[in-house]
Amino acid sequence: MAETTYFLPMRDTQPNAEAVLAAARKLGRPVEPDQAELLAVYLDQLVKWNKKMNLVGPADWRTVFDRLVVDSLFLADFVAGLKLPDHPLSLDFGAGAGLPGIPLRVLWQAGDYWLVEVREKRATFMKSALGRLRLPATSVFLGKAEDALDRLARSGHQATADLILSRAFMPWQKLLDFIRPMLRKEPGRPGTAIILANDPPPAESAIPGGWRLGDAASYPAAGSERYFWSFKVE
């Protein structure tokens, strides 16, 4: 009797704009064709580098999109809804492989955005990806987060940030203490921190002094709910 061979359907090994458009629609946050093209370029490079550097763990591009890029899709809408200055200076601490920052910048491009990463190999990857994407005013800072603003100020940037984002850089209460001196405190223009979390916003009693909870939002991701919290410095 002849042996029967069963073939499992293969997922796409290379992303393209059409597949990214379909994946975004499935997640409930459609993107524009030109944005899908840029996301496909980023995902293609990420998957290729990931085989050598283990940037995001073993994963095909669709898994990365559904589990990680999904944050950036909804974050773009959340950030656009905040009352930020016309040309904000934003810092993304612990940027890693550029998630959420690089896909976020594909969709939201206000102001200057710095991807802050202390690990040289990950910073090298992000610089390579940005070299292909040519996103406006989006740069990599290789070094410690506490050194970023001093070095940026010496090169002509403002000395305080309008927006600081973090996903798993450090526990959120510790993070707020860490970044408070780094955020703008001008009257009518307080700096904003955004925390990407798996839990709803904290109770007011748990928020450290010198902060107030701003907007918050939830969105579906990888079969569960995820959250954005924003805090305004006082």
Side-chain angles (χ1 to χ4, degrees):
M1 186 175 184
E3 182 178 348
T4 302
T5 302
Y6 295 93
F7 295 95
L8 294 175
M10 293 181 63
R11 307 190 83 179
D12 294 339
T13 55
Q14 274 192 310
N16 56 59
E18 185 177 352
V20 169
L21 283 168
R25 285 195 297 268
K26 186 176 180 180
L27 290 178
R29 204 300 186 177
V31 298
E32 297 298 323
D34 60 331
Q35 295 170 339
E37 184 66 42
L38 291 174
L39 291 172
V41 170
Y42 168 69
L43 287 163
D44 181 59
Q45 189 153 354
L46 177 60
V47 170
K48 288 176 179 175
W49 281 57
N50 192 52
K51 293 175 182 177
K52 300 177 181 179
M53 298 177 60
N54 193 29
L55 294 166
V56 293
D60 60 83
W61 79 264
R62 287 179 179 270
T63 301
V64 174
F65 192 89
D66 290 346
R67 294 182 180 178
L68 299 174
V69 175
V70 59
D71 296 330
S72 306
L73 302 183
F74 290 97
L75 181 59
D77 295 334
F78 184 72
V79 176
L82 298 176
K83 294 180 180 179
L84 295 174
D86 290 337
H87 194 90
L89 172 62
S90 302
L91 303 180
D92 181 342
F93 284 167
L99 293 159
I102 291 179
L104 169 63
R105 291 299 282 177
V106 170
L107 280 73
W108 176 78
Q109 298 180 352
D112 292 303
Y113 193 97
W114 286 87
L115 297 141
V116 180
E117 177 55 53
V118 73
R119 293 166 292 184
E120 187 172 0
K121 289 182 178 179
R122 285 165 171 76
T124 299
F125 164 73
M126 289 191 291
K127 289 177 181 178
S128 175
L130 291 175
R132 293 184 63 188
L133 296 170
R134 301 187 181 280
L135 299 173
T138 305
S139 308
V140 177
F141 178 91
L142 172 60
K144 296 180 180 179
E146 56 265 36
D147 297 334
L149 281 169
D150 285 343
R151 281 170 53 187
L152 290 176
R154 289 199 297 269
S155 63
H157 292 272
Q158 64 191 51
T160 52
D162 296 296
L163 176 66
I164 294 179
L165 302 91
S166 170
R167 177 170 63 186
F169 179 66
M170 61 176 63
W172 70 270
Q173 288 173 311
K174 185 178 179 181
L175 176 78
L176 293 183
D177 288 338
F178 177 69
I179 65 175
R180 191 168 187 275
M182 305 177 189
L183 283 166
R184 187 184 289 270
K185 301 177 184 66
E186 293 177 13
R189 190 178 173 179
T192 301
I194 296 179
I195 310 296
L196 285 73
N198 294 323
D199 301 304
E204 188 173 339
S205 59
I207 299 173
W211 294 92
R212 59 182 173 84
L213 184 65
D215 294 338
S218 65
Y219 59 101
S224 62
E225 287 288 303
R226 293 183 190 166
Y227 299 84
F228 305 127
W229 320 334
S230 71
F231 293 94
K232 293 286 187 180
V233 69
E234 294 184 328

